[in-house]
């Protein structure tokens, strides 16, 4: 039985060490926040209802990919939204700009107005700038 354990361990070690990184077709990439160009929100929200907020972003070239990833940060009645893109590094990209739209589900669970701040890049001082909407709740 002891010999079987050692044999099994050797097989597992050999299998793991023989796996090549190349078989996974790895490539270099990084994640980056991307600017929001517009957002569609209702004029008012009804307490208890669920909405889909549509957000438009612009991908600057073919190395940028959006996979429905974003940071959604709560700060009292303010919501900060930062779309995140996957950017391929060290490959050639065409300079075709593409626009894409994604949705954020929103369940209205507060009676105060919502303030939505959509990331629009950094100003000359390096501070985040936002496209801002205040939507009352009825």
């Amino acid at each position: 039985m002891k010999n079987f354990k050692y044999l099994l361990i050797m097989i597992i070690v050999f299998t793991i060490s023989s796996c090549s990184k190349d078989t996974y077709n790895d490539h270099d990439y990084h994640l980056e926040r991307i600017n929001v160009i517009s957002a569609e929100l209702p004029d008012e929200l009804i307490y208890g209802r669920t909405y889909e907020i549509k957000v438009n972003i612009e991908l600057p070239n073919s190395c940028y990919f959006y996979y429905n990833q974003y940071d959604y940060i709560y700060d009292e009645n303010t919501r900060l939204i930062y779309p995140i893109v996957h950017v391929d590094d060290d490959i050639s990209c065409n300079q075709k700009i593409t626009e894409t739209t994604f949705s954020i589900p929103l369940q209205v669970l507060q009676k105060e107005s919502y303030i939505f701040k959509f990331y629009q890049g950094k100003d000359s001082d390096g501070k985040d700038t936002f496209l801002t909407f205040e939507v009352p709740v009825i």
Side-chain angles (χ1 to χ4, degrees), residues 50-105:
T50 301
Y51 296 86
E52 292 290 322
I53 298 170
K54 298 216 182 282
V55 182
N56 298 310
I57 58 174
E58 191 173 78
L59 306 174
N61 62 47
S62 65
C63 287
Y64 284 71
F65 300 92
Y66 184 71
Y67 295 115
N68 204 32
Q69 185 176 3
Y70 53 87
D71 286 334
Y72 187 89
I73 301 168
Y74 295 82
D75 183 13
E76 295 182 10
N77 67 326
T78 300
R79 304 297 183 262
L80 303 168
I81 295 109
Y82 294 89
I84 299 171
V85 293
H86 169 122
V87 184
D88 284 336
D89 297 324
D90 302 326
I91 63 168
S92 61
C93 310
N94 71 43
Q95 298 306 308
K96 182 181 179 195
I97 296 171
T98 57
E99 211 175 283
T100 189
T101 301
F102 66 95
S103 295
I104 298 173

